[in-house]
C-alpha cells in the first residue's frame, strides 16, 4: 500500500504491505487454468478506463443504478431511518452516494472505505463540499478484510454498509457469502446492508455490456498486463493478447479472460511463463442474480432481504438486508 496517507485519513495498519504484486502474478499464472485477481484492473489508468466504460451505450449498469437512485433514494432513506452511520465499501461512487445522502435523515457520519488513497481523498473532498455539516470519517483499507471503524461523533441508531455498483458480483458465491457474513458482524444487531445487485436478463444484453463496440472494456482488461509490465517488469506484448467476455448462463455470470493469440513465453520476474495459443487467463467474474438467487445467498450469510428496489426497466436492483432474526414481519 502507498505509505503516504493523505492527512486526516485513518490507515488500517493491519493490512499487509502492498508489495507482493510479483508473487501474486507468479502464483496466479502458475495455476491451471491461469488466473489473476480482478482488483488488479484498478490502477490509475484502469480506474479512468472504468469510468469511461460507465459512459458506453452498452454498459447499462451505472445508468440504471443512477436512474434507480433518482427514483427511489427518498424511499430508501425512509427505510434506513434517521441517525444512520453510512459506511461505503469502495468510495468510487460519489454520485450515487450523493443521491442517497441528500435524502437521508440526520445521518451521523459517512465512512468511505477504500484501499487507494487518491480516490478516497477525492471522494472525501467532494462530499465534504456538498455536505458541509456531515462528519466524514474515511478509512483507507481493504473492505474484504475485517475493519476497525472510526469512533462515530455520536451514537448512531444503526450502521448501514452501502455497497453499490454490483461490485458484489465480482465475488464467487462462497466469497460473497463470506463477505456478507463479515458485514453482518460489522454492522451489529440493528444494522443493515444496502447493496447494488445487477439482475439476470437477456444474455445478449449482458454480453454486449462487457464487449462495447468502442473497445473500452477490451482496453480496460488488457491494461492489467500493462500495469504488470510497469510495476513488476514483466514483458507481456499487448498486441499478442485479446479480451474475451462471455456470459455463462449456468453459472449466471460474465467470465472475462485475457487470451493468448499465439504460443509464447512471458518473463515474470526471473521465471518464464509459457502460454499456448488460445490459452486464457481468467481475470473477472461479474455475477448476475435473480431476486430469488440473491435472497438465497443472503440467507446463507444469516441475512434477510427486507426490501428490493428496481429501476423502471427492471435491469438493476438495490436491496436492503438486515439480520435474518430481526426482519420485520
Ligand atoms: C465495477 C465490478 C461492477 O463487473 O460490471 C466493467 C467492472 N468489468 N466492465 C462489472 C467491469 C468490465 C464492473 N464492476
Amino acid at each position: 500500500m502507498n505509505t503516504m496517507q493523505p492527512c486526516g485519513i485513518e490507515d488500517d495498519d493491519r493490512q499487509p504491505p502492498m508489495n507482493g504484486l510479483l508473487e501474486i502474478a507468479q502464483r496466479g499464472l502458475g495455476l491451471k487454468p491461469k488466473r489473476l485477481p480482478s482488483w488488479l484492473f484498478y490502477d490509475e489508468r484502469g480506474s479512468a478506463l472504468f469510468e469511461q466504460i460507465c459512459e458506453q451505450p452498452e454498459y447499462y449498469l451505472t445508468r440504471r443504478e443512477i436512474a434507480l437512485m433518482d427514483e427511489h433514494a427518498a424511499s430508501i432513506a425512509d427505510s434506513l431511518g434517521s441517525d444512520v452511520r453510512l459506511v461505503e465499501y469502495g468510495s468510487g461512487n460519489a454520485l450515487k452516494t450523493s443521491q442517497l445522502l441528500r435524502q437521508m435523515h440526520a445521518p451521523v457520519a459517512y465512512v468511505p472505505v477504500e484501499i487507494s488513497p487518491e480516490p478516497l481523498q477525492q471522494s472525501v473532498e467532494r462530499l465534504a463540499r456538498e455536505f458541509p455539516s456531515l462528519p466524514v470519517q474515511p478509512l483507507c483499507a481493504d473492505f474484504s478484510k475485517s475493519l476497525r471503524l472510526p469512533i462515530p461523533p455520536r451514537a448512531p441508531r444503526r450502521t448501514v454498509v452501502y455497497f453499490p455498483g454490483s461490485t458484489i458480483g465480482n465475488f464467487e458465491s462462497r466469497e460473497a457469502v463470506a463477505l456478507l457474513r463479515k458485514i453482518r458482524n460489522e454492522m451489529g444487531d440493528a444494522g443493515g446492508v444496502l447493496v447494488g445487485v445487477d439482475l439476470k436478463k437477456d444474455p445478449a444484453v449482458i454480453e454486449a455490456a462487457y464487449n462495447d463496440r468502442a473497445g473500452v472494456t477490451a482496453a480496460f482488461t488488457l491494461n492489467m498486463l500493462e500495469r504488470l509490465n510497469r510495476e513488476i517488469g514483466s514483458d507481456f506484448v499487448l498486441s499478442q493478447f485479446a479480451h474475451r467476455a462471455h456470459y455463462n448462463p449456468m453459472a449466471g455470470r460474465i467470465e472475462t479472460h485475457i487470451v493468448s493469440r499465439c504460443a509464447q513465453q512471458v518473463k515474470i520476474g526471473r521465471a518464464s511463463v509459457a502460454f499456448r495459443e488460445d490459452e486464457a487467463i481468467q481475470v473477472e467474474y461479474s455475477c448476475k442474480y435473480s431476486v430469488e438467487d440473491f435472497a438465497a445467498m443472503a440467507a446463507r450469510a444469516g441475512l434477510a432481504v427486507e426490501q428490493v428496489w428496481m429501476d423502471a426497466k427492471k435491469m438493476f436492483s438495490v436491496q436492503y438486508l438486515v439480520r435474518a432474526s430481526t426482519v420485520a414481519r
Side-chain angles (χ1 to χ4, degrees), residues 41-42 50 53 59 61 165-167 170 209-210 217 220 284-286 288:
F41 286 138
Y42 300 95
F50 176 65
I53 287 174
Y59 195 75
L61 288 81
S166 192
T167 306
N170 282 169
Y210 294 84
T217 306
F220 171 77
E284 187 180 51
Y285 289 146
S286 297
K288 311 302 172 188

Side-chain angles (χ1 to χ4, degrees), residues 280-321:
I281 312 169
Q282 194 260 302
V283 289
E284 187 180 51
Y285 289 146
S286 297
C287 300
K288 311 302 172 188
Y289 294 95
S290 67
V291 169
E292 298 73 36
D293 293 339
F294 198 77
M297 195 169 78
R300 286 164 62 198
L303 294 166
V305 179
E306 196 167 82
Q307 221 171 328
V308 179
W309 295 268
M310 288 183 213
D311 68 295
K313 297 183 180 171
K314 299 200 182 321
M315 295 177 85
F316 199 91
S317 68
V318 169
Q319 310 202 14
Y320 185 46
L321 320 180

Side-chain angles (χ1 to χ4, degrees), residues 89 143 161 163 168 171 173-187 193-195 197 289 293-303 319 321 323:
Y89 277 16
F143 64 67
V161 173
F163 195 29
I168 192 147
F171 295 80
S173 66
R174 282 171 78 241
E175 283 123 53
V177 169
L179 179 61
L180 289 171
R181 267 207 203 107
K182 189 210 79 144
I183 296 175
R184 185 183 185 278
N185 288 332
E186 256 162 36
M187 73 195 195
V193 192
L194 189 66
V195 56
V197 180
Y289 294 95
D293 293 339
F294 198 77
M297 195 169 78
R300 286 164 62 198
L303 294 166
Q319 310 202 14
L321 320 180
R323 287 192 174 189

